[in-house]
């Protein structure tokens, strides 16, 4: 699936890409000739991949070799995140010609305005509980089956992120977890991250309620636009976000020469 962008939202799409890069900054990152290398041992691929931000002057094969060396030293599999903004512009085609497989396509969706949010009334007895970075990483990590190392890397990234995260859990009167999620606001842009509903609670509108509460809280802090990332194959989540007023902005995917990532 090729990287693609909505023709009606190019400016907001680029703002969402820049905000998403800033919000996913791990402590372990470096620059190589205009490319941004991220080397977090966490589960999120956006924090352990190459982002080809600038074309630079090095030949592609040399850039890729330098990236491969850095990933090998970190004990991580090499992968490149390909977006409509990647440089050089034909990077996707060049990697495909080298035999690098494409995988994990994702949609970036945006909400152009937050001043028209519907009411965020919660189901009677429910509450939204704020969580610190460690508690949130442990909660969502356990739900996703993450390893201890992945949970710790997630918590570290949240603690040290230049863009503050606000983790929350939606619970009923008995304290049962209904959904969890967090937002990261940078100026007028806010991103929704790690929205998760336990399997036994799905299909009841809990994620919708929580997302509305998070967006309303971010709006009160000064956010005017919102973005999120969702798997291209996750039609259920895309419908949930569509009902919240989000629309497709652009698509990205990853490429790697390694069989275990294909």
């Amino acid at each position: 699936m090729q990287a693609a962008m909505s023709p009606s939202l190019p400016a907001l799409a680029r703002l969402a890409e820049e905000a998403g890069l800033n919000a996913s900054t791990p402590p372990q990152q470096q620059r190589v000739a205009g490319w941004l290398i991220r080397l977090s041992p966490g589960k999120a691929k956006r924090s352990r991949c190459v982002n080809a931000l600038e074309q630079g002057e090095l030949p592609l094969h040399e850039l890729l070799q330098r990236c491969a060396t850095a990933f090998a030293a970190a004990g991580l599999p090499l992968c490149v995140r390909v977006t409509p903004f990647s440089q050089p512009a034909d990077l996707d085609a060049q990697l495909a010609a080298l035999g690098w497989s494409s995988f994990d396509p994702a949609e970036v969706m945006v909400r152009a305005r937050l001043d028209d949010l519907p009411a965020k009334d919660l189901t009677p007895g429910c509450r939204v509980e704020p969580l610190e970075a460690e508690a949130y990483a442990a909660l969502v990590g356990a739900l996703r089956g993450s390893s201890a190392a992945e949970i710790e890397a997630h918590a570290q990234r949240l603690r040290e992120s230049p863009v503050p995260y606000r983790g929350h859990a939606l619970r009923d009167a008995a304290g049962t977890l209904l959904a969890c999620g967090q937002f990261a606001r940078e100026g007028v842009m806010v991103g929704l991250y790690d929205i998760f509903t336990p399997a036994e609670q799905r299909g009841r509108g809990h994620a919708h309620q929580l997302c509305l509460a998070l967006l309303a809280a971010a709006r009160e802090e000064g956010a005017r636009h919102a973005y999120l990332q969702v798997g291209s194959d996750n039609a259920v989540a895309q419908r949930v976000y569509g009902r919240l007023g989000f629309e497709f902005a652009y698509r990205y995917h990853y490429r790697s020469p390694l069989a275990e990532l294909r």
Side-chain angles (χ1 to χ4, degrees):
M1 185 175 294
Q2 296 296 308
M5 183 163 58
S6 166
S8 62
L9 296 168
L12 190 53
R14 182 170 287 280
L15 286 175
E17 172 67 7
E18 293 173 354
L21 283 173
N22 292 341
S24 59
T25 300
Q28 312 89 342
Q29 74 172 29
Q30 57 186 273
R31 286 268 192 165
V32 174
W35 283 15
L36 180 64
I37 298 179
R38 293 184 157 173
L39 302 168
S40 170
K43 195 166 189 175
K45 286 188 182 67
R46 62 181 178 270
S47 295
R48 51 180 176 90
C49 67
V50 177
N51 286 276
L53 302 184
E54 302 171 21
Q55 183 161 342
E57 298 180 355
L58 292 179
L60 180 62
H61 73 274
E62 185 174 341
L63 263 173
L64 294 176
Q65 183 54 55
R66 292 178 63 174
C67 292
T69 299
F71 274 76
L76 295 172
L78 173 64
C79 68
V80 174
R81 180 171 173 265
V82 182
T83 78
F85 312 104
S86 295
Q87 294 297 321
D90 63 345
L91 176 63
D92 196 40
Q94 290 195 60
L95 294 179
L98 292 173
W100 289 40
S101 293
S102 172
F103 60 99
D104 285 1
E107 318 283 296
V108 174
M109 303 178 71
V110 297
R111 200 181 200 281
R113 297 171 53 192
L114 294 182
D115 58 1
D116 60 347
L117 285 174
K120 63 179 192 309
D121 294 335
L122 298 178
T123 300
C126 291
R127 69 184 189 278
V128 176
E129 169 188 292
L131 297 172
E132 297 295 329
E134 288 80 1
Y136 190 84
L139 175 64
V140 75
L143 291 169
R144 289 174 169 167
S146 302
S147 68
E150 289 171 337
I151 291 172
E152 173 51 35
H154 188 189
Q156 180 188 34
R157 181 167 59 82
L158 296 181
R159 287 193 307 267
E160 301 184 21
S161 172
V163 181
Y165 278 81
R166 306 278 191 272
H168 296 79
L170 175 65
R171 299 185 186 276
D172 64 14
T176 302
L177 178 68
L178 306 179
C180 61
Q182 55 185 347
F183 70 85
R185 184 184 66 85
E186 181 181 18
V188 299
M189 295 292 294
V190 61
L192 296 183
Y193 285 90
D194 300 311
I195 307 299
F196 196 94
T197 303
E200 66 275 12
Q201 299 293 344
R202 291 173 187 168
R204 304 180 186 181
H206 299 318
H208 187 275
Q209 288 192 56
L210 178 61
C211 287
L212 277 180
L214 298 183
L215 291 173
R219 181 184 61 186
E220 291 174 5
E221 293 185 5
R224 299 208 312 265
H225 318 289
Y227 68 93
L228 56 83
Q229 303 168 11
V230 58
S232 296
D233 60 351
N234 195 341
V236 173
Q238 289 178 38
R239 286 196 293 271
V240 170
Y241 298 135
R243 289 195 292 271
L244 283 164
F246 285 85
E247 56 185 317
F248 171 80
Y250 64 98
R251 180 180 301 115
Y252 68 86
H253 58 268
Y254 297 88
R255 283 196 182 271
S256 176
L258 304 175
E260 61 264 32
L261 290 181
R262 297 177 185 180

